[in-house]
């Protein structure tokens, strides 16, 4: 069963461009997966049901984020980060950018699915990122906005 996480991979890829600053990849994946899962879970239910969905989403997201973090090495994350930046900057909505690490065999696809301007006037894009580790696919969803320096910041 595949879990769709809000920004799990996008955040972990962007955050791990300098892995030493953010700690181990498992820790980063766990924390960001938990946040992404909580955001995803909060979209369901109301009242105490929404709280339960948020908690469940956080737990599932933390677990899956940890597993993805364990699976991707620093080189994988650099390939994915470059592809993510290219996809967000240059790729038309609906088209895919692929990345591949020939040394690990891990790969992925990034597809912008919507482009819009935020209320603060920033240009933003929603995207999907599928990562293939050992033949297994993990799907993630993210949103990123262009920063003043031209790079893209994942916002959830």
């Amino acid at each position: 069963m595949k879990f769709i996480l809000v920004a799990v991979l996008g955040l972990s890829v962007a955050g791990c461009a300098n892995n030493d600053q953010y700690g181990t990849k498992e820790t980063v994946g766990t924390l960001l997966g938990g946040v992404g899962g909580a955001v995803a879970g909060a979209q369901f239910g109301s009242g105490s049901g929404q709280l339960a969905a948020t908690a469940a989403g956080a737990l599932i997201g933390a677990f899956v984020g940890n597993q993805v973090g364990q699976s991707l090495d620093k080189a994988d994350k650099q390939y994915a980060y470059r592809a993510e930046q290219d996809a967000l900057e240059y790729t038309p909505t609906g088209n895919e950018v692929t990345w591949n690490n020939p040394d690990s065999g891990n790969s992925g696809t990034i597809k912008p699915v919507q482009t819009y301007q935020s209320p603060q006037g920033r240009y933003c894009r929603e995207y999907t990122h599928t990562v293939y580790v050992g033949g297994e696919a993990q799907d993630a969803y993210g949103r990123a906005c262009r920063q003043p320096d031209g790079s893209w910041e994942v916002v959830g």
Side-chain angles (χ1 to χ4, degrees):
M1 177 174 170
K2 296 179 188 175
F3 296 101
I4 298 177
L5 303 175
V6 177
V8 169
L9 196 50
L11 285 170
S12 63
V13 167
C16 292
N18 181 358
N19 196 27
D20 296 334
Q21 178 181 355
Y22 295 96
T24 68
K25 54 190 173 182
E26 293 91 345
T27 301
V28 171
T30 300
L31 293 174
L32 297 176
V35 170
V39 171
Q43 305 303 310
F44 301 97
S46 61
S48 62
Q50 186 177 32
L51 180 60
T54 300
L59 289 173
I60 292 169
F63 174 75
V64 173
N66 178 274
Q67 298 304 303
V68 171
Q70 287 177 3
S71 301
L72 297 179
D73 66 17
K74 191 172 185 177
D76 291 331
K77 291 175 186 175
Q78 289 175 346
Y79 281 108
Y81 177 76
R82 286 186 204 124
E84 184 178 81
Q85 293 292 308
D86 285 348
L88 294 170
E89 186 65 29
Y90 304 113
T91 305
T93 298
N95 292 344
E96 290 183 344
V97 169
T98 61
W99 63 269
N100 178 43
N101 181 349
D103 294 327
S104 70
N106 297 332
S107 63
T109 60
I110 302 155
K111 178 171 35 171
V113 294
Q114 182 179 6
T115 304
Y116 61 95
Q117 194 167 7
S118 74
Q120 297 80 22
R122 294 172 70 186
Y123 289 97
C124 302
R125 298 191 87 179
E126 294 179 11
Y127 62 96
T128 60
H129 191 159
T130 302
V131 176
Y132 300 92
V133 177
E136 298 279 326
Q138 294 290 330
D139 295 320
Y141 165 85
R143 287 184 296 143
C145 294
R146 184 178 292 135
Q147 299 184 99
D149 69 0
S151 65
W152 289 85
E153 172 186 33
V154 176
V155 295

